[in-house]
Protein backbone atom coordinates (compact mmCIF):
# COMPACT_ATOMS: atom_id res chain seq x y z
CA UNK A 1 0.00 0.00 0.00
CA UNK A 2 1.32 3.44 -0.82
CA UNK A 3 0.09 7.00 -1.29
CA UNK A 4 -0.78 7.47 -4.96
CA UNK A 5 -1.97 11.06 -4.89
CA UNK A 6 -2.73 13.93 -2.53
CA UNK A 7 -5.25 16.57 -3.41
CA UNK A 8 -5.22 19.89 -1.57
CA UNK A 9 -8.05 22.38 -1.63
CA UNK A 10 -7.31 25.68 0.12
CA UNK A 11 -4.84 23.94 2.43
CA UNK A 12 -2.08 26.18 3.86
CA UNK A 13 -0.04 27.56 0.94
CA UNK A 14 -2.04 25.53 -1.61
CA UNK A 15 -4.80 27.94 -2.57
CA UNK A 16 -7.55 26.51 -4.80
CA UNK A 17 -7.22 22.86 -5.90
CA UNK A 18 -3.92 21.11 -6.50
CA UNK A 19 -3.06 17.43 -7.02
CA UNK A 20 0.37 15.97 -6.26
CA UNK A 21 1.16 12.49 -7.65
CA UNK A 22 3.28 10.03 -5.66
CA UNK A 23 5.03 6.91 -6.90
CA UNK A 24 5.56 3.43 -5.54
CA UNK A 25 8.79 3.20 -3.57
CA UNK A 26 10.24 6.66 -3.57
CA UNK A 27 9.12 10.19 -4.42
CA UNK A 28 11.30 13.23 -3.80
CA UNK A 29 9.92 16.73 -3.64
CA UNK A 30 12.32 19.62 -4.00
CA UNK A 31 11.76 23.35 -4.04
CA UNK A 32 13.00 26.64 -2.61
CA UNK A 33 12.61 27.49 1.09
CA UNK A 34 9.04 28.37 1.96
CA UNK A 35 7.63 26.84 -1.24
CA UNK A 36 5.40 24.43 0.72
CA UNK A 37 7.30 21.12 0.92
CA UNK A 38 6.64 20.66 4.65
CA UNK A 39 3.01 21.70 4.16
CA UNK A 40 2.59 18.44 2.20
CA UNK A 41 3.61 16.47 5.32
CA UNK A 42 1.21 18.60 7.38
CA UNK A 43 -1.49 17.66 4.87
CA UNK A 44 -0.81 13.95 5.39
CA UNK A 45 -0.93 14.31 9.20
CA UNK A 46 -4.12 16.35 8.93
CA UNK A 47 -5.99 14.07 6.51
CA UNK A 48 -5.10 10.83 8.27
CA UNK A 49 -5.73 12.20 11.77
CA UNK A 50 -2.14 11.48 12.84
CA UNK A 51 -1.57 14.93 14.27
CA UNK A 52 -2.15 14.02 17.93
CA UNK A 53 1.34 12.59 18.26
CA UNK A 54 3.13 14.36 15.40
CA UNK A 55 2.96 18.12 15.53
CA UNK A 56 1.56 20.01 12.60
CA UNK A 57 2.95 23.49 12.20
CA UNK A 58 -0.23 25.37 13.04
CA UNK A 59 -1.37 26.85 16.33
CA UNK A 60 -4.99 26.05 15.62
CA UNK A 61 -6.70 23.93 12.98
CA UNK A 62 -8.23 26.95 11.25
CA UNK A 63 -4.69 28.25 10.54
CA UNK A 64 -4.56 25.41 8.00
CA UNK A 65 -7.05 27.20 5.74
CA UNK A 66 -5.34 29.13 2.95
CA UNK A 67 -5.09 32.86 3.62
CA UNK A 68 -4.09 35.51 1.19
CA UNK A 69 -3.85 39.24 1.88
CA UNK A 70 -5.28 39.97 -1.57
CA UNK A 71 -8.56 38.06 -1.36
CA UNK A 72 -11.18 36.88 1.13
CA UNK A 73 -10.17 33.65 2.90
CA UNK A 74 -12.05 30.52 1.84
CA UNK A 75 -14.35 28.95 4.44
CA UNK A 76 -12.88 25.50 4.25
CA UNK A 77 -9.78 23.44 3.53
CA UNK A 78 -9.72 19.81 2.40
CA UNK A 79 -7.00 17.22 1.89
CA UNK A 80 -7.71 13.93 0.13
CA UNK A 81 -5.23 11.08 0.10
CA UNK A 82 -5.58 8.33 -2.48
CA UNK A 83 -3.91 5.05 -1.54
CA UNK A 84 -2.89 2.33 -3.94
CA UNK A 85 -4.17 -0.88 -2.38
CA UNK A 86 -3.37 -3.44 -5.07
CA UNK A 87 -1.48 -5.49 -2.43
CA UNK A 88 -4.66 -5.47 -0.25
CA UNK A 89 -2.67 -4.38 2.84
CA UNK A 90 -5.73 -2.39 3.90
CA UNK A 91 -8.92 -4.42 4.36
CA UNK A 92 -10.64 -2.78 1.39
CA UNK A 93 -11.70 -4.86 -1.58
CA UNK A 94 -10.48 -2.36 -4.15
CA UNK A 95 -7.21 -1.42 -5.86
CA UNK A 96 -7.41 2.07 -4.40
CA UNK A 97 -9.31 4.05 -1.79
CA UNK A 98 -9.50 7.61 -0.53
CA UNK A 99 -9.32 9.15 2.91
CA UNK A 100 -10.21 12.77 3.17
CA UNK A 101 -10.58 15.43 5.82
CA UNK A 102 -12.31 18.76 5.61
CA UNK A 103 -12.21 21.63 8.05
CA UNK A 104 -14.89 24.26 7.85
CA UNK A 105 -14.66 27.63 9.51
CA UNK A 106 -17.86 28.91 11.15
CA UNK A 107 -18.61 32.19 12.92
CA UNK A 108 -18.09 30.56 16.31
CA UNK A 109 -15.37 28.00 15.61
CA UNK A 110 -14.91 25.15 13.14
CA UNK A 111 -16.15 21.72 12.09
CA UNK A 112 -13.90 18.86 11.07
CA UNK A 113 -15.10 15.89 9.00
CA UNK A 114 -13.41 12.68 7.85
CA UNK A 115 -14.45 10.74 4.74
CA UNK A 116 -13.71 7.27 3.42
CA UNK A 117 -14.35 7.08 -0.34
CA UNK A 118 -16.54 10.15 0.00
CA UNK A 119 -18.65 8.71 2.84
CA UNK A 120 -18.57 10.46 6.20
CA UNK A 121 -16.72 8.42 8.87
CA UNK A 122 -15.30 9.00 12.36
CA UNK A 123 -11.63 9.46 13.22
CA UNK A 124 -11.77 6.10 15.07
CA UNK A 125 -12.90 4.38 11.85
CA UNK A 126 -10.03 6.02 9.94
CA UNK A 127 -7.55 4.87 12.60
CA UNK A 128 -8.99 1.33 12.62
CA UNK A 129 -8.65 1.02 8.85
CA UNK A 130 -5.13 2.47 8.72
CA UNK A 131 -4.06 0.50 11.81
CA UNK A 132 -4.80 -2.74 9.94
CA UNK A 133 -2.34 -1.58 7.28
CA UNK A 134 0.29 -0.68 9.91
CA UNK A 135 -0.27 3.09 9.90
CA UNK A 136 -0.78 4.32 13.45
CA UNK A 137 -0.62 7.74 15.17
CA UNK A 138 2.20 6.48 17.44
CA UNK A 139 4.06 4.80 14.58
CA UNK A 140 6.91 6.20 12.55
CA UNK A 141 5.06 6.16 9.24
CA UNK A 142 5.70 9.87 9.03
CA UNK A 143 9.21 10.93 9.99
CA UNK A 144 9.31 14.59 10.92
CA UNK A 145 12.21 17.04 10.88
CA UNK A 146 14.24 16.38 14.03
CA UNK A 147 13.00 12.77 14.44
CA UNK A 148 16.19 11.29 12.99
CA UNK A 149 18.54 13.20 15.32
CA UNK A 150 16.18 12.41 18.21
CA UNK A 151 16.34 8.67 17.41
CA UNK A 152 20.05 8.46 16.63
CA UNK A 153 21.52 10.85 19.20
CA UNK A 154 19.10 11.44 22.06
CA UNK A 155 17.29 8.17 22.73
CA UNK A 156 18.59 5.37 24.96
CA UNK A 157 19.34 2.00 23.28
CA UNK A 158 16.18 0.54 24.86
CA UNK A 159 13.98 3.34 23.47
CA UNK A 160 15.64 2.95 20.07
CA UNK A 161 15.03 -0.82 20.12
CA UNK A 162 11.34 -0.18 20.87
CA UNK A 163 11.03 1.96 17.74
CA UNK A 164 12.83 -0.60 15.57
CA UNK A 165 10.50 -3.33 16.93
CA UNK A 166 7.52 -1.13 16.16
CA UNK A 167 8.65 -0.42 12.60
CA UNK A 168 9.49 -4.08 11.97
CA UNK A 169 6.06 -5.07 13.33
CA UNK A 170 7.60 -7.11 16.17
CA UNK A 171 5.95 -5.11 18.97
CA UNK A 172 2.51 -6.21 17.73
CA UNK A 173 3.55 -9.84 18.34
CA UNK A 174 5.11 -8.93 21.71
CA UNK A 175 1.76 -7.48 22.80
CA UNK A 176 -0.11 -10.58 21.56
CA UNK A 177 2.42 -12.81 23.37
CA UNK A 178 1.95 -10.90 26.66
CA UNK A 179 -1.83 -11.16 26.28
CA UNK A 180 -1.67 -14.89 25.59
CA UNK A 181 0.67 -15.48 28.57
CA UNK A 182 -1.75 -13.61 30.85
CA UNK A 183 -4.63 -15.77 29.55
CA UNK A 184 -2.49 -18.87 30.09
CA UNK A 185 -1.95 -17.88 33.74
CA UNK A 186 -5.73 -17.62 34.24
CA UNK A 187 -6.26 -21.05 32.65
CA UNK A 188 -3.49 -22.59 34.86
CA UNK A 189 -5.18 -21.15 37.95
CA UNK A 190 -8.53 -22.62 36.87
CA UNK A 191 -6.92 -26.04 36.27
CA UNK A 192 -5.39 -25.94 39.78
CA UNK A 193 -8.81 -25.10 41.29
CA UNK A 194 -10.49 -27.92 39.35
CA UNK A 195 -7.74 -30.37 40.42
CA UNK A 196 -8.42 -29.49 44.07
CA UNK A 197 -12.16 -30.07 43.57
CA UNK A 198 -11.47 -33.44 41.86
CA UNK A 199 -9.23 -34.48 44.78
CA UNK A 200 -11.95 -33.53 47.26
CA UNK A 201 -14.61 -35.48 45.35
CA UNK A 202 -12.37 -38.57 45.24
P1 LIG B 1 11.64 25.09 4.12
O1 LIG B 1 12.49 24.43 3.10
O2 LIG B 1 12.10 26.43 4.52
O3 LIG B 1 11.29 24.20 5.31
P2 LIG B 1 9.14 24.45 2.83
O4 LIG B 1 9.25 24.31 1.35
O5 LIG B 1 9.04 23.22 3.63
O6 LIG B 1 10.25 25.42 3.40
P3 LIG B 1 6.74 25.17 4.10
O7 LIG B 1 7.31 25.38 5.45
O8 LIG B 1 6.00 23.91 3.81
O9 LIG B 1 7.88 25.36 3.04
O10 LIG B 1 5.79 26.36 3.68
C1 LIG B 1 5.80 27.55 4.34
C2 LIG B 1 4.95 28.52 3.55
O11 LIG B 1 3.58 28.19 3.71
C3 LIG B 1 5.17 29.92 4.05
O12 LIG B 1 5.41 30.75 2.94
C4 LIG B 1 3.84 30.28 4.69
O13 LIG B 1 3.52 31.62 4.51
C5 LIG B 1 2.88 29.40 3.91
N1 LIG B 1 1.64 29.14 4.65
C6 LIG B 1 1.49 28.47 5.82
N2 LIG B 1 0.21 28.47 6.22
C7 LIG B 1 -0.48 29.16 5.27
C8 LIG B 1 -1.85 29.51 5.10
N3 LIG B 1 -2.79 29.16 5.98
N4 LIG B 1 -2.19 30.24 4.00
C9 LIG B 1 -1.26 30.59 3.08
N5 LIG B 1 0.05 30.29 3.17
C10 LIG B 1 0.43 29.59 4.26
Amino acid sequence: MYIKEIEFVNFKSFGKRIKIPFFEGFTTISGPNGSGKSNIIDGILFALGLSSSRTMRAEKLTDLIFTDAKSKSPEFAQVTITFDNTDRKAPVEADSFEISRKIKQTKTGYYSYFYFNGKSVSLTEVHELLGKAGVTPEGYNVVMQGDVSQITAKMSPVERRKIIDEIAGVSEFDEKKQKSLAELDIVKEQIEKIDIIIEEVK
Side-chain angles (χ1 to χ4, degrees):
M1 188 177 94
Y2 65 93
I3 292 177
K4 206 158 81 164
E5 186 182 86
I6 307 184
E7 184 188 72
F8 296 98
V9 185
N10 306 327
F11 184 82
K12 295 196 87 177
S13 53
F14 305 111
K16 307 238 168 70
R17 185 181 297 267
I18 179 167
K19 286 184 180 183
I20 301 177
F22 282 76
F23 307 99
E24 188 171 9
F26 208 77
T27 302
T28 307
I29 295 170
S30 64
N33 287 352
S35 59
K37 302 181 296 288
S38 307
N39 290 343
I40 298 172
I41 296 288
D42 285 341
I44 295 174
L45 295 178
F46 168 74
L48 304 184
L50 304 176
S51 49
S52 53
S53 56
R54 296 270 182 277
T55 336
M56 275 187 303
R57 296 157 318 137
E59 273 179 31
K60 46 190 193 317
L61 274 184
T62 44
D63 289 346
L64 299 172
I65 300 175
F66 173 76
T67 48
D68 178 11
K70 288 182 229 140
S71 51
K72 193 173 167 274
S73 286
E75 284 175 350
F76 76 95
Q78 184 157 9
V79 179
T80 304
I81 303 196
T82 308
F83 286 95
D84 181 291
N85 189 40
T86 38
D87 59 7
R88 296 292 188 275
K89 277 261 165 69
V92 178
E93 275 313 310
D95 286 346
S96 69
F97 65 91
E98 276 180 18
I99 291 180
S100 181
R101 185 177 183 184
K102 186 177 191 173
I103 178 169
K104 206 169 168 215
Q105 172 104 54
T106 64
K107 281 194 185 112
T108 49
Y110 68 85
Y111 289 110
S112 160
Y113 311 91
F114 285 91
Y115 301 92
F116 168 74
N117 283 345
K119 195 176 130 246
S120 180
V121 289
S122 66
L123 172 60
T124 311
E125 285 172 294
V126 171
H127 281 174
E128 268 172 19
L129 173 72
L130 294 174
K132 285 183 182 142
V135 180
T136 58
E138 311 77 36
Y140 277 84
N141 309 97
V142 179
V143 179
M144 303 297 288
Q145 271 175 27
D147 277 354
V148 174
S149 57
Q150 173 77 15
I151 293 167
T152 52
K154 294 184 188 145
M155 280 186 181
S156 70
V158 176
E159 286 173 315
R160 216 173 292 143
R161 171 64 200 255
K162 254 190 178 171
I163 290 173
I164 294 167
D165 281 356
E166 214 174 273
I167 293 167
V170 177
S171 49
E172 186 196 331
F173 294 107
D174 273 342
E175 273 168 34
K176 281 187 185 162
K177 186 181 159 192
Q178 290 309 326
K179 220 174 138 199
S180 303
L181 286 173
E183 282 169 13
L184 206 62
D185 280 343
I186 296 171
V187 172
K188 273 184 191 160
E189 241 173 66
Q190 284 172 342
I191 291 174
E192 276 169 23
K193 277 185 198 162
I194 290 167
D195 278 347
I196 293 168
I197 296 169
I198 291 173
E199 278 305 311
E200 280 173 4
V201 171
K202 272 186 189 168

